[in-house]
Amino acid sequence: MDRATELAALGPEHGPNPRVGCVIVDDSGHVLAEGYHKGAGTPHAEAAALGAAARAGVDVSGATAYVTLEPCNHTGRTGPCAAALAGAGIHRVIYAVPDPNPTAAGGAGYLTEHGVTVLLAPHDGARELNRRWLIAMARQRPYVIAKWASTLDGRTAAADGTSFWITGEEARDHVHHVRSQIDAIIVGTGTVTTDDPELSARPSGVADPHQPIRIVMGERDTSGAKVWRDDKGVRVSSRNPNVGLSEAWERECRVVLIEGGATVTSAFLKEGLVDEVHAYVAPALLGDGPTAVASLGIGTMAGALRGSDVTVTRLGADTLVTAMFTEES
Protein backbone atom coordinates (compact mmCIF):
# COMPACT_ATOMS: atom_id res chain seq x y z
CA MET A 1 0.00 0.00 0.00
CA ASP A 2 2.97 2.29 0.54
CA ARG A 3 3.90 1.82 -3.12
CA ALA A 4 0.32 2.40 -4.26
CA THR A 5 0.31 5.67 -2.30
CA GLU A 6 3.59 6.72 -3.93
CA LEU A 7 2.03 6.10 -7.32
CA ALA A 8 -1.14 8.01 -6.40
CA ALA A 9 0.97 11.05 -5.51
CA LEU A 10 2.11 11.23 -9.15
CA GLY A 11 -1.40 12.25 -10.19
CA PRO A 12 -2.55 15.89 -10.34
CA GLU A 13 -3.79 17.60 -7.18
CA HIS A 14 -6.37 19.57 -9.14
CA GLY A 15 -9.46 18.25 -10.91
CA PRO A 16 -12.65 16.45 -9.94
CA ASN A 17 -11.07 13.08 -9.23
CA PRO A 18 -9.05 11.76 -6.27
CA ARG A 19 -5.42 10.75 -6.56
CA VAL A 20 -5.36 6.95 -6.68
CA GLY A 21 -2.67 4.32 -7.10
CA CYS A 22 -2.91 0.58 -7.70
CA VAL A 23 -0.37 -2.25 -7.39
CA ILE A 24 -1.18 -5.81 -8.50
CA VAL A 25 0.88 -8.61 -6.95
CA ASP A 26 0.95 -12.41 -7.16
CA ASP A 27 0.78 -14.82 -4.21
CA SER A 28 4.48 -14.40 -3.49
CA GLY A 29 4.19 -10.61 -3.35
CA HIS A 30 5.90 -10.10 -6.71
CA VAL A 31 4.63 -6.98 -8.48
CA LEU A 32 2.82 -7.83 -11.69
CA ALA A 33 1.63 -4.36 -12.69
CA GLU A 34 1.20 -0.81 -11.42
CA GLY A 35 -0.94 2.16 -12.35
CA TYR A 36 -2.20 5.53 -11.18
CA HIS A 37 -4.83 8.03 -12.26
CA LYS A 38 -3.27 10.74 -14.45
CA GLY A 39 -6.24 13.11 -14.54
CA ALA A 40 -9.80 13.65 -15.73
CA GLY A 41 -10.70 11.52 -18.74
CA THR A 42 -7.77 9.11 -18.34
CA PRO A 43 -8.03 5.50 -17.06
CA HIS A 44 -8.46 5.11 -13.32
CA ALA A 45 -5.58 3.56 -11.38
CA GLU A 46 -7.00 0.04 -11.48
CA ALA A 47 -7.67 0.20 -15.21
CA ALA A 48 -4.20 1.63 -15.80
CA ALA A 49 -2.61 -1.25 -13.89
CA LEU A 50 -4.71 -3.84 -15.72
CA GLY A 51 -3.81 -2.18 -19.01
CA ALA A 52 -0.11 -2.30 -18.15
CA ALA A 53 -0.42 -6.00 -17.36
CA ALA A 54 -2.21 -6.70 -20.63
CA ARG A 55 0.40 -4.84 -22.66
CA ALA A 56 3.15 -6.83 -20.95
CA GLY A 57 1.31 -10.11 -21.53
CA VAL A 58 1.00 -10.72 -17.77
CA ASP A 59 -1.85 -12.88 -16.48
CA VAL A 60 -3.34 -11.31 -13.33
CA SER A 61 -5.99 -13.94 -12.63
CA GLY A 62 -5.80 -14.99 -8.99
CA ALA A 63 -3.72 -11.95 -8.09
CA THR A 64 -4.20 -9.34 -5.35
CA ALA A 65 -4.77 -5.65 -6.09
CA TYR A 66 -3.74 -3.00 -3.57
CA VAL A 67 -5.67 0.22 -4.20
CA THR A 68 -5.50 3.47 -2.22
CA LEU A 69 -9.24 4.15 -2.66
CA GLU A 70 -12.21 1.79 -2.86
CA PRO A 71 -12.65 0.82 -6.53
CA CYS A 72 -15.47 2.77 -8.13
CA ASN A 73 -18.78 1.22 -9.16
CA HIS A 74 -19.76 3.92 -11.62
CA THR A 75 -19.63 4.52 -15.35
CA GLY A 76 -18.57 8.07 -16.15
CA ARG A 77 -15.79 9.08 -18.49
CA THR A 78 -14.43 5.59 -17.86
CA GLY A 79 -15.98 2.26 -16.88
CA PRO A 80 -16.37 0.95 -13.32
CA CYS A 81 -13.10 -0.26 -11.84
CA ALA A 82 -14.80 -2.87 -9.66
CA ALA A 83 -16.16 -4.62 -12.74
CA ALA A 84 -12.77 -4.40 -14.48
CA LEU A 85 -10.98 -6.02 -11.54
CA ALA A 86 -13.55 -8.80 -11.23
CA GLY A 87 -13.54 -9.36 -14.97
CA ALA A 88 -9.76 -9.70 -15.01
CA GLY A 89 -9.93 -12.51 -12.47
CA ILE A 90 -8.43 -10.58 -9.55
CA HIS A 91 -8.87 -12.82 -6.50
CA ARG A 92 -8.43 -10.26 -3.72
CA VAL A 93 -8.70 -6.46 -3.42
CA ILE A 94 -7.22 -4.53 -0.50
CA TYR A 95 -8.12 -0.84 -0.35
CA ALA A 96 -7.07 1.91 2.06
CA VAL A 97 -9.95 4.42 2.04
CA PRO A 98 -13.70 3.96 1.48
CA ASP A 99 -15.08 6.06 -1.38
CA PRO A 100 -17.38 8.79 0.03
CA ASN A 101 -18.65 9.76 -3.42
CA PRO A 102 -22.31 8.65 -3.46
CA THR A 103 -22.18 8.35 -7.25
CA ALA A 104 -19.13 6.10 -7.42
CA ALA A 105 -19.30 4.19 -4.12
CA GLY A 106 -20.28 0.55 -3.83
CA GLY A 107 -17.27 -1.05 -5.45
CA ALA A 108 -16.46 -3.19 -2.42
CA GLY A 109 -19.98 -4.59 -2.39
CA TYR A 110 -19.87 -5.32 -6.13
CA LEU A 111 -16.58 -7.16 -5.81
CA THR A 112 -17.82 -9.23 -2.88
CA GLU A 113 -20.95 -10.18 -4.80
CA HIS A 114 -18.75 -11.37 -7.67
CA GLY A 115 -16.61 -13.65 -5.54
CA VAL A 116 -13.67 -11.34 -4.90
CA THR A 117 -12.27 -11.18 -1.37
CA VAL A 118 -12.28 -7.54 -0.24
CA LEU A 119 -10.38 -6.08 2.71
CA LEU A 120 -10.26 -2.53 4.08
CA ALA A 121 -6.72 -1.75 5.28
CA PRO A 122 -6.62 1.89 6.49
CA HIS A 123 -3.50 3.79 5.46
CA ASP A 124 -2.78 7.27 6.82
CA GLY A 125 -0.74 8.31 3.80
CA ALA A 126 -3.44 7.34 1.34
CA ARG A 127 -6.07 9.24 3.34
CA GLU A 128 -3.91 12.35 3.76
CA LEU A 129 -3.17 12.45 0.03
CA ASN A 130 -6.88 13.01 -0.66
CA ARG A 131 -7.85 14.77 2.57
CA ARG A 132 -9.32 17.83 0.87
CA TRP A 133 -11.12 15.78 -1.78
CA LEU A 134 -12.58 13.46 0.86
CA ILE A 135 -13.95 16.41 2.85
CA ALA A 136 -15.37 17.98 -0.31
CA MET A 137 -17.15 14.78 -1.29
CA ALA A 138 -18.51 14.23 2.22
CA ARG A 139 -19.93 17.77 2.27
CA GLN A 140 -20.89 17.83 -1.42
CA ARG A 141 -19.32 21.25 -1.82
CA PRO A 142 -15.78 22.42 -2.62
CA TYR A 143 -13.09 22.42 0.05
CA VAL A 144 -12.40 26.08 0.82
CA ILE A 145 -9.00 27.65 1.50
CA ALA A 146 -9.04 31.31 2.54
CA LYS A 147 -5.79 33.07 1.69
CA TRP A 148 -4.49 36.54 2.45
CA ALA A 149 -1.24 38.46 2.80
CA SER A 150 -0.93 40.97 5.61
CA THR A 151 1.49 42.98 7.70
CA LEU A 152 2.30 42.10 11.30
CA ASP A 153 -0.57 44.32 12.40
CA GLY A 154 -3.03 42.58 10.08
CA ARG A 155 -3.26 45.16 7.30
CA THR A 156 -3.73 43.98 3.73
CA ALA A 157 -3.08 47.39 2.17
CA ALA A 158 -1.98 50.87 3.12
CA ALA A 159 -4.42 53.68 3.85
CA ASP A 160 -4.08 54.89 0.24
CA GLY A 161 -5.06 51.43 -1.05
CA THR A 162 -1.62 50.31 -2.22
CA SER A 163 -0.84 46.65 -1.57
CA PHE A 164 2.00 45.77 -3.97
CA TRP A 165 3.94 44.16 -2.54
CA ILE A 166 3.22 43.28 1.08
CA THR A 167 5.16 40.02 0.93
CA GLY A 168 8.39 39.10 -0.82
CA GLU A 169 9.16 37.00 -3.86
CA GLU A 170 9.29 33.63 -2.09
CA ALA A 171 5.87 34.07 -0.53
CA ARG A 172 4.35 35.22 -3.80
CA ASP A 173 5.85 32.25 -5.62
CA HIS A 174 4.37 29.94 -3.01
CA VAL A 175 0.93 31.39 -3.75
CA HIS A 176 1.42 30.68 -7.45
CA HIS A 177 2.27 27.05 -6.66
CA VAL A 178 -0.89 26.76 -4.57
CA ARG A 179 -2.96 28.27 -7.38
CA SER A 180 -1.60 25.66 -9.79
CA GLN A 181 -2.87 22.90 -7.49
CA ILE A 182 -6.47 24.04 -6.96
CA ASP A 183 -9.54 24.23 -9.18
CA ALA A 184 -10.85 27.76 -8.76
CA ILE A 185 -10.03 31.15 -7.28
CA ILE A 186 -12.93 33.17 -5.83
CA VAL A 187 -12.81 36.94 -5.38
CA GLY A 188 -15.29 39.75 -5.06
CA THR A 189 -15.98 42.52 -7.54
CA GLY A 190 -14.29 44.95 -5.14
CA THR A 191 -10.96 43.17 -5.51
CA VAL A 192 -11.32 43.10 -9.30
CA THR A 193 -12.20 46.82 -9.41
CA THR A 194 -9.41 47.90 -7.05
CA ASP A 195 -6.51 45.63 -8.10
CA ASP A 196 -7.49 44.28 -11.55
CA PRO A 197 -5.62 41.01 -10.78
CA GLU A 198 -4.82 38.34 -13.34
CA LEU A 199 -5.47 35.52 -10.83
CA SER A 200 -3.24 33.23 -12.86
CA ALA A 201 -0.80 30.54 -11.72
CA ARG A 202 2.81 31.40 -12.57
CA PRO A 203 4.91 29.14 -10.30
CA SER A 204 8.66 29.15 -10.80
CA GLY A 205 10.11 26.09 -12.46
CA VAL A 206 6.82 24.97 -14.04
CA ALA A 207 6.65 25.34 -17.81
CA ASP A 208 2.91 24.93 -18.37
CA PRO A 209 1.07 25.07 -15.04
CA HIS A 210 -2.57 24.21 -14.55
CA GLN A 211 -4.73 27.34 -14.56
CA PRO A 212 -7.71 27.48 -12.16
CA ILE A 213 -10.98 29.05 -13.20
CA ARG A 214 -11.66 32.53 -11.84
CA ILE A 215 -14.98 33.14 -10.11
CA VAL A 216 -16.00 36.74 -9.43
CA MET A 217 -18.83 37.23 -6.94
CA GLY A 218 -20.88 40.44 -6.71
CA GLU A 219 -23.09 42.79 -8.66
CA ARG A 220 -20.65 45.51 -9.72
CA ASP A 221 -19.75 45.82 -13.38
CA THR A 222 -16.18 44.61 -13.94
CA SER A 223 -16.22 44.51 -17.74
CA GLY A 224 -12.78 44.80 -19.32
CA ALA A 225 -10.91 43.48 -16.28
CA LYS A 226 -8.07 40.99 -16.72
CA VAL A 227 -10.10 38.18 -15.16
CA TRP A 228 -12.29 38.12 -18.30
CA ARG A 229 -9.38 37.59 -20.70
CA ASP A 230 -10.51 34.03 -21.62
CA ASP A 231 -13.24 31.49 -20.97
CA LYS A 232 -11.92 30.63 -17.50
CA GLY A 233 -13.60 33.71 -16.04
CA VAL A 234 -16.96 33.02 -14.33
CA ARG A 235 -19.40 35.66 -13.09
CA VAL A 236 -21.65 34.98 -10.09
CA SER A 237 -24.07 37.87 -9.60
CA SER A 238 -24.54 37.17 -5.91
CA ARG A 239 -22.76 37.87 -2.64
CA ASN A 240 -23.99 34.63 -1.12
CA PRO A 241 -21.01 32.29 -0.61
CA ASN A 242 -23.22 29.22 -0.98
CA VAL A 243 -24.17 30.38 -4.48
CA GLY A 244 -20.51 30.78 -5.38
CA LEU A 245 -19.66 27.32 -4.10
CA SER A 246 -22.61 25.78 -5.94
CA GLU A 247 -21.35 27.32 -9.18
CA ALA A 248 -17.86 25.96 -8.52
CA TRP A 249 -19.21 22.50 -7.66
CA GLU A 250 -21.24 22.33 -10.86
CA ARG A 251 -18.01 23.06 -12.74
CA GLU A 252 -16.39 20.06 -11.01
CA CYS A 253 -14.24 22.20 -8.70
CA ARG A 254 -13.31 20.30 -5.56
CA VAL A 255 -10.82 22.74 -3.97
CA VAL A 256 -11.21 26.51 -4.20
CA LEU A 257 -9.05 29.40 -3.01
CA ILE A 258 -10.67 32.55 -1.60
CA GLU A 259 -8.40 35.49 -2.40
CA GLY A 260 -10.49 38.32 -1.08
CA GLY A 261 -11.05 40.78 -0.15
CA ALA A 262 -12.19 41.06 3.42
CA THR A 263 -15.88 41.21 2.51
CA VAL A 264 -15.85 37.93 0.61
CA THR A 265 -13.55 36.20 3.10
CA SER A 266 -15.73 37.25 6.02
CA ALA A 267 -18.88 36.08 4.27
CA PHE A 268 -17.42 32.57 3.93
CA LEU A 269 -16.19 32.59 7.53
CA LYS A 270 -19.57 33.68 8.86
CA GLU A 271 -21.24 30.78 7.06
CA GLY A 272 -18.72 28.29 8.45
CA LEU A 273 -17.52 27.49 4.94
CA VAL A 274 -13.76 28.00 5.39
CA ASP A 275 -11.90 24.72 5.85
CA GLU A 276 -8.33 26.01 5.84
CA VAL A 277 -6.57 29.37 6.17
CA HIS A 278 -3.30 30.42 4.54
CA ALA A 279 -2.07 33.65 6.14
CA TYR A 280 1.12 35.10 4.64
CA VAL A 281 2.55 37.54 7.18
CA ALA A 282 5.19 40.11 6.28
CA PRO A 283 7.48 41.73 8.89
CA ALA A 284 6.00 45.17 8.26
CA LEU A 285 3.78 47.62 10.13
CA LEU A 286 1.26 50.08 8.69
CA GLY A 287 -0.93 51.05 11.63
CA ASP A 288 -3.79 51.84 9.27
CA GLY A 289 -5.50 50.43 6.22
CA PRO A 290 -7.94 47.55 5.52
CA THR A 291 -7.73 44.32 7.49
CA ALA A 292 -7.71 40.76 6.17
CA VAL A 293 -11.05 39.93 7.77
CA ALA A 294 -14.02 42.24 8.35
CA SER A 295 -16.43 42.01 11.26
CA LEU A 296 -17.63 38.49 12.04
CA GLY A 297 -20.08 39.59 14.71
CA ILE A 298 -17.96 38.01 17.45
CA GLY A 299 -18.09 40.08 20.64
CA THR A 300 -16.05 38.01 23.08
CA MET A 301 -12.90 35.88 23.10
CA ALA A 302 -15.01 32.86 23.99
CA GLY A 303 -16.58 33.09 20.54
CA ALA A 304 -13.32 33.35 18.59
CA LEU A 305 -12.87 31.04 15.61
CA ARG A 306 -9.81 28.96 16.38
CA GLY A 307 -7.91 26.76 13.99
CA SER A 308 -6.15 23.46 14.59
CA ASP A 309 -3.21 21.56 13.08
CA VAL A 310 -1.36 24.85 12.75
CA THR A 311 1.88 24.90 10.76
CA VAL A 312 4.40 27.71 10.33
CA THR A 313 6.63 27.98 7.26
CA ARG A 314 9.39 30.52 6.63
CA LEU A 315 9.32 32.00 3.13
CA GLY A 316 12.25 34.38 2.92
CA ALA A 317 11.52 37.26 5.28
CA ASP A 318 7.85 36.29 5.43
CA THR A 319 5.96 33.62 7.34
CA LEU A 320 3.12 31.40 6.17
CA VAL A 321 0.71 30.29 8.89
CA THR A 322 -1.75 27.57 7.92
CA ALA A 323 -4.60 26.39 10.13
CA MET A 324 -7.50 24.00 9.71
CA PHE A 325 -11.02 25.15 10.52
CA THR A 326 -12.98 22.02 9.73
CA GLU A 327 -13.04 18.44 10.91
CA GLU A 328 -12.84 15.58 8.43
CA SER A 329 -16.18 13.80 8.07
Side-chain angles (χ1 to χ4, degrees):
M1 195 64 76
D2 288 343
R3 176 55 182 164
T5 301
E6 290 177 359
L7 290 168
L10 299 175
E13 294 187 53
H14 57 82
N17 301 115
R19 302 163 83 187
V20 182
C22 175
V23 178
I24 300 175
V25 302
D26 61 19
D27 289 341
S28 66
H30 174 71
V31 174
L32 301 176
E34 299 180 337
Y36 69 95
H37 184 52
K38 297 182 179 180
T42 65
H44 288 185
E46 301 92 324
L50 292 173
R55 289 190 296 274
V58 175
D59 182 9
V60 297
S61 59
T64 296
Y66 287 84
V67 191
T68 56
L69 185 72
E70 177 185 1
C72 69
N73 189 33
H74 167 67
T75 300
R77 294 186 179 96
T78 60
C81 293
L85 290 168
I90 294 293
H91 175 68
R92 186 171 62 157
V93 171
I94 301 174
Y95 68 98
V97 181
D99 192 339
N101 184 352
T103 302
Y110 176 95
L111 288 164
T112 300
E113 291 171 0
H114 287 76
V116 179
T117 300
V118 181
L119 298 174
L120 170 61
H123 188 281
D124 290 343
R127 176 169 287 278
E128 179 60 27
L129 196 64
N130 287 308
R131 183 182 61 83
R132 293 170 177 170
W133 182 87
L134 290 167
I135 292 173
M137 297 311 300
R139 286 170 167 69
Q140 288 293 286
R141 56 112 171 133
Y143 183 94
V144 177
I145 303 170
K147 166 264 173 183
W148 60 77
S150 71
T151 58
L152 286 174
D153 52 347
R155 307 294 175 174
T156 57
D160 65 356
T162 56
S163 60
F164 301 102
W165 293 101
I166 290 177
T167 54
E169 186 175 338
E170 285 188 43
R172 297 198 301 274
D173 185 54
H174 188 277
V175 172
H176 283 289
H177 279 278
V178 172
R179 286 178 176 178
S180 71
Q181 297 164 354
I182 52 92
D183 302 311
I185 300 173
I186 299 179
V187 298
T189 54
T191 294
V192 174
T193 301
T194 302
D195 298 334
D196 193 18
E198 290 187 18
L199 300 182
S200 60
R202 304 183 301 278
S204 61
V206 182
D208 186 23
H210 159 74
Q211 295 297 328
I213 67 172
R214 305 175 296 274
I215 298 176
V216 179
M217 295 181 57
E219 301 172 354
R220 257 188 285 194
D221 181 19
T222 56
S223 301
K226 294 175 183 175
V227 293
W228 309 121
R229 62 187 177 275
D230 56 32
D231 60 3
K232 283 185 174 287
V234 178
R235 187 186 306 276
V236 176
S237 299
S238 173
R239 298 176 183 175
N240 186 330
N242 288 290
V243 175
L245 289 185
S246 293
E247 180 68 30
W249 187 259
E250 289 299 315
R251 293 175 179 269
E252 297 191 319
C253 297
R254 300 299 177 253
V255 181
V256 302
L257 186 66
I258 309 298
E259 290 212 26
T263 300
V264 171
T265 299
S266 299
F268 278 83
L269 285 167
K270 284 181 179 179
E271 292 291 327
L273 296 173
V274 173
D275 301 299
E276 185 174 333
V277 165
H278 290 190
Y280 297 82
V281 183
L285 297 169
L286 283 171
D288 203 356
T291 57
V293 179
S295 174
L296 297 176
I298 299 173
T300 177
M301 282 303 299
L305 301 178
R306 294 188 181 274
S308 62
D309 297 329
V310 178
T311 62
V312 178
T313 306
R314 286 293 303 272
L315 296 169
D318 307 310
T319 302
L320 167 63
V321 179
T322 66
M324 307 304 163
F325 283 82
T326 190
E327 296 295 329
E328 186 173 345
S329 298

